[in-house]
Amino acid sequence: SSRTVAQGSGTTYTPSVTALNGFSSAVSFSLTGLPSGATGTFNPASVTGSGSSTLTVATAANTPTGTYTLTITGTSGSLTQTAPVTLIVSSAPSFSLAASPGTQTVVQGAATSFTPAVTGSNGFSAAVTFSVSGLPTGVTGNFNPTSVTGSGSSTLTLSTSAAAVTGSYALTITGTSGSLTQTGSVTL
């Protein structure tokens, strides 16, 4: 049995015990072969005679990607049986953010724009919301659209007032999707 799971999520297996020749004792389950950051829990932890359990395997965001052979063991006294299963850990869905151009020059009272672009990877399909920080006094920023889903781009329009303070300013454009955050730096 094989399961594929993204980093930071989980999956299940169903180990089953079949009693032979009148066997009616308790069989306890255990698991070996988990990659780092992953945990395995059986529910129930044992069955009597014949029965099945649910093995829930949870991975961490930093669990290494790869293919792992896990061994489920059933033990009853001196009796032991094993069953191998396969766990494939794939990269978690994510996105990158790039902003262009790197630098824009604008005179007081005028406007300019930057283009933040989001590229999804590993099946990423969630909404990414944009924000900007580092704006000087007298400058406002508006994104259109304010968010994109999966991959896409937006236009950040920066409007300056006649009283905007002259100078060079480092701005940070941030894309946020749940717990995921990516940034891009530009200069105004």
Side-chain angles (χ1 to χ4, degrees), residues 13-14 29 42 44 70 76 83 88-89 96 101 113 131 145 156 158 165 170 173:
Y13 301 86
T14 305
F29 297 104
F42 291 95
L70 313 182
S76 179
I88 301 170
V89 181
S96 60
S113 64
S131 61
L156 167 60
L158 299 179
V165 180
I173 298 173

Side-chain angles (χ1 to χ4, degrees), residues 46-135:
S46 64
V47 296
T48 299
S50 297
S52 63
S53 176
T54 298
L55 166 61
T56 301
V57 174
T59 65
N62 61 351
T63 296
T65 59
T67 299
Y68 302 91
T69 299
L70 313 182
T71 301
I72 299 172
T73 301
T75 302
S76 179
S78 62
L79 299 176
T80 299
Q81 298 290 341
T82 61
V85 295
T86 301
L87 176 68
I88 301 170
V89 181
S90 62
S91 297
S94 188
F95 69 93
S96 60
L97 187 150
S100 62
T103 302
Q104 288 281 45
T105 300
V106 62
V107 298
Q108 293 165 308
T112 190
S113 64
F114 294 93
T115 301
V118 168
T119 302
S121 59
N122 303 316
F124 180 82
S125 60
V128 177
T129 302
F130 297 104
S131 61
V132 61
S133 59
L135 293 174

